[in-house]
C-alpha cells in the first residue's frame, strides 16, 4: 500500500509526463475498440436500412450508386429514369411504387422528392406541423431542423447547382409545413418535397407572368396567333404561393419526367420474385435490385478494409508500446539519483522495483478508467456518430 502511495505522489508531482504517458496508453487501447464499435454500428444501420427496402428500380448501371443515392441520399445521382416506370409497376398489380427524386440540396442537406407513401413506408412521424399538400412545401428531418434552427412556418431555399451558372435553374424558396420526429437514419438529414416540387427545382416545371397579357415587349421572343414565346429575360417565380400557383406548368409529358429511382414494395415474396423476373430481360434499360444484396457485397468489402485497418492499428500500437518502453527506460536513467537516494534510505532493490511497478499499475488503471468512459460514451452515441459521419 505504501508503494502505491509513494507512486501516486510521484505521478502527481510529475503530472505533465504522467498525463502524456496515460494519453498514449489510452489511445492505443481506445482506437481499435472504438473503430470496432463504429464499424459494427455502421454495418447494422446499413443492413437494417437495406433489409427494410425490399426492391429498388432504376436505370441499368452501378447498383451501388443506385442504392446509396436512394436509401442514404448520397451526392452521386444515378442516371435518371422516366416517371412511366412508376405506372408500369403499379399496373402490374404485384407491388406498390414509391417515386424517388434525389438530385438537389438545400444548404448541404439532400432534397428528396417523393410521395406521402414514403412516410408511412418508413414509419416516419411528424413532431410538429403537417405533411406537404401544395407545390413548393416541404417537410424537414429532425437534424435539419436542429442544425439550421428551422421550424414550421419558416422557409428553406434550394441550393443552385453551380454558383456561377446565371442561366441555370432558379433556387426555389420552400415553405416548411412539418418537422419529423428523430428516426436515427438518413431521413433525419433530408428535406422532403413532393416529386412535382422536385421537378420545379430542376426547372422542368415553372411559373411566370402571363406573357399573353404582358406590356413588356422586351420579354417576347416570338408572337404568333396561337402561341407566344418568351425569351430568357422573363423572370420565373422563385416562391410558390396561392396567388401564383396557377401559373406553374410542366414542360413535357408527365410520363417522361425524370426520377432517380422507384422504391418497389411487393405484395408478397412471390410477387417480388415475379416482378424481378420481368426486369431480367436484356431489352429493358431498367434494373430491379434487392438493396440487401448490394449492401452485403459492400459490407464484405468493408470487412476486408477493416482487416487492413486492424493490421495497421496493431503495428502502430506495437510501435507506440516500444516508444513507451523507451520512455520508461530513459526515465529510469534520469531517476538514477532518486533510486540511489532510496537505496541510501535503507530500501531494498525489491522495494524500488515495487515502487516503479506501482507507478505502471496506476498509469494502466487510470488509462483503463478513461478508456472505459470514452468507450461507454461512443457506445451510447454510436448510432448518432455513424449517422453523421458515415451514412
Amino acid at each position: 500500500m505504501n508503494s502505491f502511495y509513494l507512486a501516486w505522489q510521484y505521478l502527481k508531482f510529475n503530472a505533465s509526463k504522467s498525463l502524456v504517458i496515460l494519453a498514449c496508453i489510452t489511445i492505443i487501447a481506445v482506437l481499435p475498440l472504438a473503430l470496432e464499435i463504429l464499424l459494427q454500428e455502421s454495418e447494422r444501420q446499413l443492413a437494417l436500412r437495406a433489409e427494410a427496402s425490399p426492391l429498388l428500380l432504376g436505370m441499368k448501371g452501378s447498383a451501388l450508386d443506385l442504392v446509396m443515392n436512394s436509401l442514404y441520399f448520397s451526392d452521386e445521382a444515378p442516371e435518371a429514369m422516366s416517371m412511366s416506370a412508376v405506372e408500369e409497376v403499379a399496373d402490374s398489380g404485384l407491388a406498390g411504387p414509391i417515386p424517388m427524386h434525389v438530385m438537389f440540396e438545400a444548404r448541404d442537406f439532400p432534397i428528396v422528392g417523393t410521395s406521402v407513401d414514403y412516410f408511412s413506408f418508413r414509419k416516419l412521424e411528424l413532431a410538429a406541423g403537417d405533411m406537404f399538400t401544395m407545390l413548393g412545401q416541404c417537410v424537414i428531418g429532425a437534424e435539419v431542423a436542429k442544425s439550421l434552427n428551422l421550424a414550421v412556418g419558416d422557409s428553406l431555399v434550394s441550393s443552385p447547382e453551380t454558383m456561377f451558372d446565371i442561366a441555370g435553374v432558379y433556387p426555389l424558396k420552400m415553405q416548411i409545413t412539418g418537422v419529423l420526429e428523430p428516426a436515427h437514419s438518413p431521413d433525419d438529414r433530408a428535406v422532403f418535397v413532393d416529386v412535382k416540387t422536385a421537378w420545379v427545382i430542376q426547372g422542368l416545371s415553372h411559373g411566370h407572368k402571363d406573357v399573353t397579357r404582358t406590356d413588356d415587349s422586351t420579354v417576347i421572343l416570338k408572337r404568333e396567333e396561337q402561341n407566344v414565346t418568351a425569351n430568357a429575360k422573363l423572370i420565373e417565380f422563385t416562391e410558390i404561393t396561392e396567388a401564383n400557383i396557377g401559373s406553374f406548368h410542366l414542360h413535357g409529358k408527365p410520363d417522361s419526367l425524370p426520377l432517380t429511382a422507384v422504391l418497389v414494395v411487393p405484395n408478397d415474396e412471390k410477387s417480388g420474385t415475379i416482378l424481378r423476373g420481368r426486369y431480367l430481360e436484356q431489352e429493358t434499360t431498367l434494373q430491379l435490385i434487392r438493396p440487401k444484396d448490394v449492401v452485403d457485397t459492400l459490407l464484405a468489402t468493408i470487412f476486408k478494409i477493416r482487416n487492413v485497418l486492424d493490421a495497421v492499428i496493431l503495428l502502430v500500437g506495437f510501435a507506440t508500446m516500444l516508444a513507451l518502453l523507451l520512455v520508461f527506460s530513459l526515465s529510469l536513467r534520469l531517476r538514477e539519483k532518486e533510486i540511489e537516494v532510496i537505496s541510501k534510505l535503507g530500501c531494498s532493490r525489491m522495494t524500488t522495483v515495487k515502487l516503479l511497478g506501482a507507478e505502471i499499475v496506476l498509469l494502466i488503471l487510470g488509462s483503463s478508467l478513461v478508456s472505459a468512459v470514452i468507450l461507454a460514451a461512443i457506445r451510447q452515441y454510436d448510432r448518432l456518430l455513424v449517422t453523421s459521419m458515415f451514412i
Side-chain angles (χ1 to χ4, degrees):
M1 181 61 71
N2 289 335
S3 300
F4 281 101
Y5 175 75
L6 291 174
W8 173 246
Q9 294 302 320
Y10 175 81
L11 292 175
K12 279 173 60 181
F13 185 77
N14 297 280
S16 300
K17 187 182 79 172
S18 303
L19 286 174
V20 169
I21 296 173
L22 188 140
C24 290
I25 298 174
T26 302
I27 290 171
I28 293 171
V30 165
L31 194 59
L33 296 175
L35 189 62
E36 183 68 22
I37 292 172
L38 293 177
L39 281 174
Q40 283 182 359
E41 179 59 23
S42 61
E43 288 176 6
R44 191 186 71 82
Q45 288 193 26
L46 282 169
L48 278 178
R49 185 85 168 172
E51 288 171 3
S53 309
L55 296 171
L56 202 57
L57 183 64
M59 291 295 286
K60 282 184 176 176
S62 172
L64 183 59
D65 285 348
L66 180 63
V67 170
M68 296 307 288
N69 177 265
S70 307
L71 270 58
Y72 309 104
F73 313 139
S74 66
D75 296 336
E76 195 67 36
E79 185 181 351
M81 57 192 293
S82 69
M83 184 70 181
S84 60
V86 172
E87 294 181 4
E88 287 178 13
V89 174
D91 292 342
S92 72
L94 299 171
I98 300 176
M100 302 290 295
H101 183 290
V102 188
M103 289 186 184
F104 300 97
E105 293 184 340
R107 298 176 66 178
D108 296 329
F109 291 100
I111 297 174
V112 180
T114 185
S115 66
V116 290
D117 293 336
Y118 181 87
F119 299 94
S120 55
F121 174 72
R122 293 287 186 207
K123 297 181 174 60
L124 299 175
E125 300 288 341
L126 282 168
D130 300 302
M131 284 294 167
F132 47 75
T133 56
M134 198 180 87
L135 209 61
Q137 294 180 335
C138 68
V139 171
I140 58 176
E143 193 176 334
V144 179
K146 183 180 178 183
S147 300
L148 302 180
N149 194 26
L150 294 173
V152 175
D154 293 338
S155 57
L156 184 61
V157 179
S158 65
S159 305
E161 286 184 279
T162 57
M163 185 178 296
F164 303 104
D165 185 10
I166 57 176
V169 178
Y170 288 94
L172 180 68
K173 185 178 181 181
M174 299 173 286
Q175 182 194 358
I176 299 171
T177 61
V179 178
L180 296 172
E181 291 274 8
H184 306 293
S185 71
D187 298 318
D188 290 345
R189 292 179 49 79
V191 178
F192 294 97
V193 298
D194 187 87
V195 68
K196 292 178 182 174
T197 301
W199 292 332
V200 174
I201 295 171
Q202 195 174 355
L204 301 174
S205 172
H206 62 209
H208 48 72
K209 291 182 179 177
D210 188 350
V211 292
T212 62
R213 299 180 179 177
T214 182
D215 297 328
D216 186 2
S217 60
T218 61
V219 302
I220 303 299
L221 180 66
K222 188 178 181 182
R223 188 184 292 275
E224 298 174 338
E225 186 177 349
Q226 299 293 331
N227 188 39
V228 178
T229 306
N231 58 32
K233 189 179 177 183
L234 182 67
I235 298 176
E236 299 175 7
F237 295 126
T238 56
E239 182 178 5
I240 303 172
T241 63
E242 292 184 0
N244 66 21
I245 190 171
S247 70
F248 277 79
H249 52 278
L250 285 168
H251 283 258
K253 296 179 180 177
D255 289 352
S256 65
L257 291 171
L259 296 174
T260 50
V262 178
L263 199 53
V264 179
V265 187
N267 300 334
D268 48 43
E269 190 173 346
K270 182 180 177 182
S271 301
T273 304
I274 295 172
L275 205 55
R276 289 190 70 192
R278 294 184 182 180
Y279 287 94
L280 290 177
E281 299 172 2
Q282 293 184 350
E283 292 77 17
T284 181
T285 57
L286 301 174
Q287 60 176 339
L288 186 63
I289 59 172
R290 290 180 68 225
K292 186 177 182 306
D293 295 342
V294 178
V295 170
D296 284 346
T297 305
L298 176 65
L299 292 179
T301 306
I302 291 175
F303 184 75
K304 291 177 184 176
I305 296 173
R306 186 171 65 183
N307 288 340
V308 175
L309 285 175
D310 288 344
V312 171
I313 290 172
L314 190 66
L315 284 173
V316 172
F318 181 68
T320 309
M321 289 301 297
L322 289 178
L324 286 174
L325 286 175
L326 181 63
V327 169
F328 277 122
S329 63
L330 291 174
S331 176
L332 284 177
R333 193 166 282 190
L334 291 172
R335 295 171 63 186
E336 280 182 349
K337 289 185 178 178
E338 294 176 25
I339 296 171
E340 187 178 340
V341 170
I342 292 172
S343 299
K344 286 180 179 178
L345 288 173
C347 296
S348 63
R349 183 180 291 273
M350 182 56 68
T351 302
T352 305
V353 172
K354 285 182 179 178
L355 284 172
L356 296 175
E359 289 176 18
I360 295 173
V361 170
L362 286 176
L363 284 170
I364 292 175
L365 285 176
S367 173
S368 301
L369 183 62
V370 175
S371 300
V373 172
I374 294 173
L375 291 174
I378 291 174
R379 191 171 287 282
Q380 178 71 25
Y381 298 103
D382 56 354
R383 183 185 295 180
L384 187 63
L385 286 169
V386 167
T387 304
S388 59
M389 293 169 61
F390 302 118
I391 298 178

